[in-house]
Amino acid sequence: AYEGLVAIDVSGVLRPSLATSWDSDAAGRRWTFRLRHGVKLHDGSTLQPSQIAATLRDLHGDWQIGTDGDALSIDPGRDVPELPWQLADSSNAIAIRQGAGAAVGSGAFRLERVEAGFIALRAHEDYWDSRAFVDVVEVRTARSPADQLTDVETGRADIVSIQPTD
């Protein structure tokens, strides 16, 4: 539902996400990220560089963060040559709060429903990196192993956790 400037692909390599490229000074103290154009948020609005900057400022109050067109500059105040790796962590995902409502993101799935023990995600039709193959993902948490086994046997679940003895 929420994504960051960069991501780590399945082979463990950094790849572009909301940023299309990045570079830094020799020491890794000042970073510039080129932002992807036309990214649609789940509410249909277009993600703005100022929203990304504000989200990162909220997460990292000691960083100096600014925008210039499609460029986002980050100065963490010290040498951080691994900054893109830090930004790939889910704790740095861009979640935009608009008023008192729930945060919106730009990921392949949008939160459709959240209840105790249940999360429903729906494919984001306007996702910048192509629409997800599946329409809906439902996640049920805190289910006993016996209930999970019943769900698999009756075709109500595709993936469940199992105990090492199973």
Side-chain angles (χ1 to χ4, degrees):
Y2 308 104
E3 55 192 342
L5 295 176
V6 297
I8 301 171
D9 71 15
V10 295
S11 61
V13 176
L14 279 178
R15 67 170 178 80
S17 188
L18 294 177
T20 57
S21 64
W22 54 92
D23 60 4
S24 74
D25 61 10
R29 183 179 185 99
R30 183 165 174 84
W31 288 84
T32 302
F33 292 83
R34 294 284 171 202
L35 302 176
R36 189 172 301 282
H37 293 279
V39 173
K40 294 289 184 185
L41 292 170
H42 298 149
D43 66 0
S45 64
T46 301
L47 180 62
Q48 301 298 316
S50 59
Q51 293 172 306
I52 295 172
T55 299
L56 290 174
R57 277 189 212 105
D58 287 346
L59 295 171
H60 303 282
D62 56 333
W63 291 3
Q64 298 299 312
I65 302 172
T67 60
D68 182 16
D70 71 343
L72 179 80
S73 63
I74 300 176
D75 182 347
R78 62 190 186 292
D79 297 350
V80 186
E82 72 284 353
L83 183 68
W85 288 95
Q86 288 181 12
L87 291 174
D89 187 82
S90 62
S91 65
N92 290 299
I94 305 302
I96 308 300
R97 293 217 177 266
Q98 298 175 332
V104 294
S106 59
F109 289 90
R110 65 177 170 80
L111 288 172
E112 185 169 74
R113 201 167 95 208
V114 178
E115 299 172 1
F118 179 79
I119 301 167
L121 303 161
R122 180 162 299 280
H124 177 37
E125 297 293 333
D126 294 324
Y127 184 54
W128 62 267
D129 194 26
S130 75
R131 185 189 182 285
F133 178 71
V134 297
D135 294 326
V136 176
V137 174
E138 293 180 353
V139 179
R140 297 183 189 277
T141 61
R143 305 224 349 120
S144 72
D147 288 342
Q148 292 181 53
L149 178 60
T150 300
D151 289 345
V152 168
E153 290 173 343
T154 59
R156 290 190 311 245
D158 295 315
I159 301 171
V160 298
S161 61
I162 61 171
Q163 300 297 317
T165 56
D166 295 336

